[in-house]
Amino acid sequence: SGANGATLSGTYTTKNSVNLGELLLPSDLQTGTRDDSWFFGMQFVHYFGESAMRSEQRWGAFLKLGMSDGTVNPFQGSIMGGVGGRGLFASRPDDSFGLGYFFVDFSDDLQSVINPFVTFDDEQGVEAFYNYAVQGWLSITADLQYVDPALGDTDNAFVGGLRATIRF
C-alpha cells in the first residue's frame, strides 16, 4: 500500500511433520514425527520524510525478522533489511536503487544431520543495485552481490550482473 507500518505473523500447528533431526537416519532408528511446530515473524516498512507522500521519489527502509522452533522448519531464524527507492539524484527521478543484507540461521537439527557429510552453516549476503532509466521504454540495471554460502567448504561469492529491460 505504500504506507509506513509493521506486520506481525505467527503460526502454530499440531500436525505431524518430519523431525529434521532424524531426516537422514535409517527408518529403524527414527523415533517418529514431530507433532507440533511454531513460527513467528515481524516485518517493518518506513518511508522517509516528505518522499513518503510522493510515490515517484519514495525512499524507504525495510526489516523482516523470522524465527521458528527449527525442528520441522529448515529455517530457525532469519533477518533481511535494507534501504531503497527512486530518485536518488534530483536529475534522475525515474532511476531506482537498493542496498540490502540477509542472514539465514538454518535449523540446528538440520545442520547436525547434514554436517557429518558436508559442512553446512548459516548463510549471509549483501546486494546493491542501481536501475538507470534511459527512456520510458528502456532501463539498464547493474547489480552486485556478495554471499557467504551455507556450504562451509564453498568459497564466498562475489557476483555482478547487468540487465536491460525493454517495455513494448
Side-chain angles (χ1 to χ4, degrees):
S1 69
N4 296 325
T7 303
L8 300 174
S9 59
T11 59
Y12 177 81
T13 181
T14 58
K15 180 173 174 39
N16 290 341
S17 301
V18 173
N19 186 339
L20 293 177
E22 299 180 348
L23 189 63
L24 298 177
L25 291 177
S27 59
D28 59 336
L29 296 178
Q30 292 181 2
T31 60
T33 58
R34 177 71 186 230
D35 63 356
D36 63 341
S37 180
W38 60 268
F39 167 82
F40 178 74
M42 295 183 290
Q43 182 170 315
F44 304 94
V45 176
H46 179 75
Y47 293 101
F48 303 119
E50 59 181 77
S51 69
M53 304 306 291
R54 297 189 322 265
S55 63
E56 71 276 2
Q57 289 186 307
R58 185 175 306 181
W59 291 28
F62 71 94
L63 178 64
K64 186 173 184 177
L65 307 165
M67 60 184 139
S68 79
D69 57 13
T71 305
V72 300
N73 188 328
F75 305 105
Q76 189 166 295
S78 65
I79 182 170
M80 295 166 235
V83 296
R86 299 176 61 87
L88 181 60
F89 305 107
S91 63
R92 306 280 323 148
D94 295 328
D95 292 359
S96 58
F97 70 97
L99 176 64
Y101 169 79
F102 76 91
F103 174 81
V104 177
D105 177 15
F106 286 100
S107 163
D108 292 342
D109 288 350
L110 179 62
Q111 288 179 351
S112 67
V113 168
I114 292 175
N115 277 334
F117 306 102
V118 63
T119 304
F120 187 70
D121 299 316
D122 299 327
E123 184 167 293
Q124 65 180 331
V126 294
E127 179 178 10
F129 77 88
Y130 191 86
N131 182 351
Y132 184 83
V134 179
Q135 294 288 326
W137 55 271
L138 173 64
S139 64
I140 298 173
T141 304
D143 184 88
L144 297 173
Q145 299 177 27
Y146 180 80
V147 178
D148 177 5
L151 292 176
D153 56 356
T154 303
D155 292 337
N156 294 353
F158 183 73
V159 180
L162 188 63
R163 88 173 166 259
T165 303
I166 299 172
R167 290 178 189 86
F168 293 96

